[in-house]
Amino acid sequence: MIRVLLADDQPLVRSGIGMLLAAEPDIEVVGECGDGATAVALARELRPDVTLMDVRMPGTDGVAATRILTADEPDPDKLVRVLILTTYHVDDTVREALRAGASGFVLKDALPAELALAVRAVARGDAWLAPAVARSLLTEFAARGEPRAPRAEELARLTERERQVLVQVAYGLSNAEIGARLYIGEATVKTHVGRVLLKLGLRDRAQAVVAAYRGGLVDPGTPAQGAAASG
């Protein structure tokens, strides 16, 4: 069973989404709340597979809650996976939520089948973007061209594990090879790579390689064997 925590400040929306997910044979809603602070507390207590998080809530909003949860990560193989839930397509708040470490983004007007697919994808360590959102973000990234060197404050957003994974990506290792080198699951590596791309505003792994070198994370003269230690 995929255990889901649902955080939305609108009781009717929360109830409706909860009923839709409860109808799925492989999904269980283990908790509900209406604000980000409570979502953080419940996620730490219940350890759900997916936290379905409304981006706009009173007090601690979905962005801040996501940033707190994704920074916890006491076990790299038990990442706190956050799926952002919102009525908006793409705006600055949504981009910030993705950079904060969210694993995906689903619209509140999504069909029930799409919502279930999104939850399943995020639970297994993949990213999920609603088609309309994916098109907008890809257009943005494509227009940026070659990535500039990441700023210090951008690199500071990366967790230690994300930096390690980025270094390994820069050395050309596959997800499976990175997982073996860092002793984490391949799905976990995939999640880390996705978060690195989002946090640094990169389009793909090729841009991540360039960013790692230009950001000084990788010394061209250092062999791959030393990459994990240098991350």
Side-chain angles (χ1 to χ4, degrees):
M1 294 291 287
I2 299 172
R3 303 171 71 253
V4 175
L5 171 63
L6 179 55
D8 192 296
D9 65 333
Q10 300 179 47
L12 287 178
V13 172
R14 213 164 57 231
S15 175
I17 292 175
M19 290 176 62
L20 290 174
L21 293 178
E24 298 294 327
D26 58 338
I27 297 176
E28 176 188 10
V29 178
V30 297
E32 298 183 12
C33 61
D35 64 88
T38 305
V40 170
L42 285 177
R44 287 171 169 170
E45 175 188 349
L46 301 174
R47 302 302 300 178
D49 299 302
V50 178
T51 298
L52 193 56
M53 184 91 70
D54 184 18
V55 74
R56 289 179 171 82
M57 292 185 289
T60 303
D61 65 15
V63 175
T66 297
R67 187 175 293 110
I68 293 169
L69 287 175
T70 57
D72 281 351
E73 297 180 7
D75 183 337
D77 279 319
K78 295 182 180 179
L79 296 171
V80 175
R81 297 186 172 97
V82 177
L83 179 60
I84 294 295
L85 181 68
T86 183
T87 55
Y88 297 85
H89 283 237
V90 177
D91 65 6
D92 289 339
T93 304
V94 168
R95 294 187 189 91
E96 188 58 30
L98 293 173
R99 293 189 183 101
S103 297
F105 171 20
V106 65
L107 300 175
K108 288 185 178 180
D109 61 1
L111 296 174
E114 182 183 343
L115 177 62
L117 286 173
V119 168
R120 293 186 185 108
V122 170
R124 64 175 177 261
D126 292 336
W128 180 274
L129 291 177
V133 177
R135 285 193 297 272
S136 296
L137 290 176
L138 286 173
T139 299
E140 275 189 25
F141 290 158
R144 293 180 182 179
E146 184 180 351
R148 54 171 171 73
R151 295 189 294 269
E153 60 267 26
E154 292 175 323
L155 291 174
R157 294 175 185 167
L158 302 181
T159 65
E160 180 62 21
R161 183 62 84 187
E162 287 166 353
R163 290 172 69 95
Q164 291 173 346
V165 169
L166 176 56
V167 168
Q168 301 294 331
V169 168
Y171 280 111
L173 274 64
S174 68
N175 287 352
E177 291 169 332
I178 295 172
R181 190 177 295 277
L182 298 180
Y183 304 102
I184 58 178
E186 187 173 351
T188 301
V189 174
K190 189 173 183 179
T191 298
H192 281 312
V193 171
R195 288 180 177 173
V196 168
L197 297 181
L198 289 167
K199 288 183 178 182
L200 298 183
L202 304 173
R203 184 174 64 244
D204 51 31
R205 291 172 78 100
Q207 287 197 346
V209 172
V210 175
Y213 278 94
R214 297 183 69 183
L217 297 182
V218 177
D219 181 352
T222 304
Q225 291 91 315
S230 66

